[in-house]
Amino acid sequence: MSFETTLSVFELAGVFVFAVSGALAAARKGMDVVGLFALALVTSTGGGALRSVLIGDFPVPFLRTPWPLAFAAVAAVLTQLFSRWLEARMDKPIRFFDAIGLGVFMSTGAMVALQLGQPWWAALFLGCVTAVFGSVLRDLLRQEVPLLFQPAELYATAALIGGVALVAAHVGGLPRTTTMLWGAGVTIAVRLFALYFHWRTKPPVA
Amino acid sequence: MSFETTLSVFELAGVFVFAVSGALAAARKGMDVVGLFALALVTSTGGGALRSVLIGDFPVPFLRTPWPLAFAAVAAVLTQLFSRWLEARMDKPIRFFDAIGLGVFMSTGAMVALQLGQPWWAALFLGCVTAVFGSVLRDLLRQEVPLLFQPAELYATAALIGGVALVAAHVGGLPRTTTMLWGAGVTIAVRLFALYFHWRTKPPVA
Amino acid sequence: MSFETTLSVFELAGVFVFAVSGALAAARKGMDVVGLFALALVTSTGGGALRSVLIGDFPVPFLRTPWPLAFAAVAAVLTQLFSRWLEARMDKPIRFFDAIGLGVFMSTGAMVALQLGQPWWAALFLGCVTAVFGSVLRDLLRQEVPLLFQPAELYATAALIGGVALVAAHVGGLPRTTTMLWGAGVTIAVRLFALYFHWRTKPPVA
């Protein structure tokens, strides 16, 4: 497979897994299929949408092709019908694909920002926003303090480290493709290591 | 009355009723007049504003004429002074005008999206967003899980069915005016039937 | 110091104090450094960002220079290390600088909107949004009903009164600099008087 195909497959896998995880989070709150669809959609597309809105790049990405809406609808219907089965089977795969999605979203988000002429520090921020904001929206709509902001295994921090690696490669003049893969790879590696070795953030000394 | 006048009257009635319902929701939480104004404004204008932001159509509609801000201010002041009286009298009228507002907002939202060159599936989504997002914002600001996502009489689903009817008419080449009225009418009818016959969504099998 | 320098110093002081108050609010919820950064950033930049998005002025201000992101990062790290010390010492200074920030943000927000051709009533609304929306976002992310909407010493109302003063000066043809200082001054004065004399808003008669 070419690089573009591989990337698209990974990115779509990331979108779909984020959509399923959003729909499952809605099911746990007793929401109906409208809630399942809404949480599937915001979890999988909220980060990219916020990136677009902050820099004025319209329409937002999830309205450029029908796939994101379709994926959210499929995730909502599947979860409506099989939430118990999915809860039992999807826990481990979701964690794994979520790490891949985190890396791919950070990396493509930062690259898009750089292509649109944003400076490196804005691209770093926008890559991290692309990667994590969907989960913040998911938790706000479920009426929870965002999990992202709680002490836990490095998540936003993994995206930040991967983003620094990507920006360093970009400043160093590496080819676009290498830069993007490198940023995604570092993010995914840090996230999986953090899960495996329980690297956690701590609350402030209160 | 011409079609445009009729539509404007219905739409302004919808805005005003959504504003009153937002202000009453704020009063039930013990908010002050600032909270009443904020919830009146987001409930009546949040859907149209999100539609505009997603497709990059600026400024957002509620800043194009002074009426939406004025309506929210009037709703806030009326509710500040007469919330007890309004609570007792407005329950039934609000439910009825809310159904009309749902249909009119869905229909005008979808038509605006089609006029701006969005594809049919995006217009369908944006019509539903226009109709329902105000109530999501209202509930988030009040610190509640959005009512829209809970099992209840068809609401977003009514907008979706009306949106499908509108898009079918649009694809079928019906005149703009007919298309818009038809979409609004189907939405309002489905919503009122759902209320009357207790057609409800269900939570997933958990 | 020239007017521009004075204004910049006050505005940056406002941003920094809003950032610290956001980070402290996150620490009180037991968030980690990611949450501290997120709340510092949205509290100090959310108002200006929403103003930009509503009128389509991109990129949002906090991505035009690196300072806002840097200030939020510094506030997060300081709070992570010294939250107990800051809690004890910063309470009074935060209240004072917060009043200055409220006035400066309202005033610069309204002036920017007027410069971009918005009508006076939209500029009045957008000035108030610039001044207060950061604190609304902060409270939503902490999972609290926004403090802004609760009965308390005049806050949004102080910004509104200052905004009316600014718009009156603008319509009356006063020079830009005088108009901006006057609007900020009235806001700050009303807020400080309200704190000192306990001028409070009341909940509706329920």
Side-chain angles (χ1 to χ4, degrees):
Chain A
M1 278 197 300
S2 76
F3 167 66
E4 275 76 21
T5 317
T6 314
L7 183 77
S8 295
V9 169
F10 272 127
E11 192 166 20
L12 282 179
V15 170
F16 188 66
V17 169
F18 279 164
V20 171
S21 85
L24 284 174
R28 266 175 240 135
K29 278 276 178 181
M31 292 184 179
D32 67 4
V33 74
V34 175
L36 270 53
F37 173 78
L39 265 72
L41 186 66
V42 302
T43 308
S44 56
T45 67
L50 180 60
R51 182 196 67 225
S52 282
V53 168
L54 292 176
I55 58 179
D57 175 34
F58 296 106
V60 294
F62 79 85
L63 291 178
R64 290 177 201 170
T65 69
W67 299 112
L69 289 169
F71 277 19
V74 169
V77 170
L78 285 180
T79 305
Q80 174 79 22
L81 299 175
F82 307 115
S83 67
R84 203 179 340 193
W85 190 91
L86 285 167
E87 284 280 4
R89 313 287 147 111
M90 289 296 284
D91 204 49
K92 277 238 166 144
I94 279 185
R95 202 166 292 211
F96 179 74
F97 280 103
D98 180 278
I100 291 180
L102 183 78
V104 172
F105 280 17
M106 189 288 296
S107 199
T108 52
M111 292 307 290
V112 167
L114 289 169
Q115 300 296 313
L116 293 171
Q118 294 294 314
W120 68 265
W121 48 269
L124 176 59
F125 173 75
L126 291 165
C128 293
V129 161
T130 306
V132 305
F133 186 66
S135 78
V136 172
L137 274 184
R138 176 199 64 205
D139 291 340
L140 288 180
L141 289 175
R142 303 168 71 209
Q143 194 64 357
E144 307 275 352
V145 174
L147 204 63
L148 180 71
F149 302 159
Q150 309 291 335
E153 280 85 5
L154 308 183
Y155 194 80
T157 312
L160 179 66
I161 293 170
V164 169
L166 182 148
V167 164
H170 173 79
V171 170
L174 263 66
R176 216 174 70 95
T177 306
T178 315
T179 303
M180 181 154 53
L181 281 177
W182 161 245
V186 170
T187 303
I188 295 166
V190 172
R191 172 60 179 163
L192 292 179
F193 277 119
L195 279 175
Y196 192 77
F197 293 111
H198 298 291
W199 295 340
R200 296 172 69 90
T201 53
K202 279 178 234 163
V205 193
Chain B
M1 281 199 296
S2 77
F3 167 66
E4 275 76 21
T5 316
T6 315
L7 181 76
S8 295
V9 168
F10 272 127
E11 191 167 21
L12 283 180
V15 170
F16 188 66
V17 169
F18 279 165
V20 171
S21 85
L24 284 173
R28 264 174 241 135
K29 278 275 178 182
M31 293 185 179
D32 67 4
V33 73
V34 175
L36 271 53
F37 173 78
L39 266 72
L41 185 67
V42 302
T43 308
S44 57
T45 67
L50 180 61
R51 182 196 66 225
S52 282
V53 167
L54 291 176
I55 56 179
D57 175 36
F58 297 105
V60 294
F62 79 86
L63 292 177
R64 291 177 200 170
T65 69
W67 299 112
L69 288 169
F71 277 19
V74 169
V77 169
L78 285 180
T79 305
Q80 174 78 22
L81 299 175
F82 308 115
S83 66
R84 202 178 342 194
W85 190 93
L86 285 166
E87 283 280 3
R89 313 289 146 111
M90 290 296 285
D91 204 50
K92 275 241 167 138
I94 278 184
R95 202 166 294 212
F96 180 73
F97 280 103
D98 181 278
I100 291 179
L102 183 78
V104 172
F105 279 17
M106 189 288 296
S107 198
T108 52
M111 291 308 288
V112 166
L114 289 170
Q115 300 296 311
L116 292 171
Q118 294 293 314
W120 68 265
W121 49 268
L124 176 60
F125 173 75
L126 291 164
C128 293
V129 160
T130 307
V132 305
F133 186 66
S135 78
V136 172
L137 274 184
R138 175 198 66 205
D139 291 340
L140 288 180
L141 289 175
R142 304 168 70 208
Q143 196 64 356
E144 307 275 353
V145 173
L147 204 63
L148 180 71
F149 302 159
Q150 309 291 336
E153 280 85 6
L154 309 182
Y155 193 80
T157 312
L160 180 66
I161 293 169
V164 169
L166 181 149
V167 163
H170 173 78
V171 171
L174 265 65
R176 214 173 70 94
T177 306
T178 316
T179 302
M180 182 154 54
L181 280 177
W182 163 243
V186 171
T187 304
I188 295 166
V190 173
R191 171 64 178 162
L192 292 179
F193 277 118
L195 278 176
Y196 192 77
F197 293 111
H198 298 292
W199 295 340
R200 297 171 68 92
T201 53
K202 279 178 233 162
V205 192
Chain C
M1 280 199 299
S2 77
F3 166 66
E4 274 76 20
T5 317
T6 315
L7 181 76
S8 295
V9 169
F10 273 127
E11 191 165 21
L12 283 180
V15 170
F16 188 67
V17 169
F18 279 165
V20 171
S21 84
L24 284 173
R28 266 175 240 134
K29 277 276 178 181
M31 292 183 180
D32 67 3
V33 74
V34 175
L36 271 53
F37 173 78
L39 266 72
L41 186 67
V42 302
T43 309
S44 57
T45 67
L50 180 61
R51 181 196 67 225
S52 282
V53 167
L54 292 175
I55 57 180
D57 174 33
F58 296 107
V60 294
F62 78 86
L63 291 178
R64 290 177 201 171
T65 69
W67 298 113
L69 289 169
F71 277 20
V74 168
V77 169
L78 285 180
T79 304
Q80 174 79 21
L81 299 175
F82 308 116
S83 67
R84 204 181 336 196
W85 190 92
L86 285 166
E87 283 280 4
R89 315 286 147 111
M90 289 297 285
D91 204 51
K92 276 240 167 141
I94 278 184
R95 203 166 292 212
F96 179 74
F97 280 103
D98 180 278
I100 291 179
L102 183 78
V104 172
F105 279 16
M106 189 288 296
S107 199
T108 52
M111 292 307 290
V112 167
L114 289 169
Q115 300 296 312
L116 292 172
Q118 293 293 314
W120 67 266
W121 48 268
L124 176 59
F125 173 74
L126 291 164
C128 293
V129 160
T130 307
V132 306
F133 185 66
S135 78
V136 172
L137 274 184
R138 176 198 66 205
D139 292 341
L140 289 180
L141 289 175
R142 301 168 72 209
Q143 194 65 357
E144 307 275 351
V145 174
L147 204 63
L148 180 72
F149 302 159
Q150 308 292 335
E153 280 86 5
L154 309 182
Y155 194 80
T157 312
L160 180 66
I161 294 169
V164 169
L166 181 149
V167 163
H170 173 79
V171 171
L174 263 66
R176 214 174 70 94
T177 306
T178 316
T179 302
M180 181 155 51
L181 279 177
W182 161 244
V186 171
T187 303
I188 295 167
V190 172
R191 170 63 178 160
L192 292 178
F193 277 118
L195 278 175
Y196 192 78
F197 293 111
H198 298 290
W199 295 341
R200 296 172 68 90
T201 53
K202 279 178 235 164
V205 193

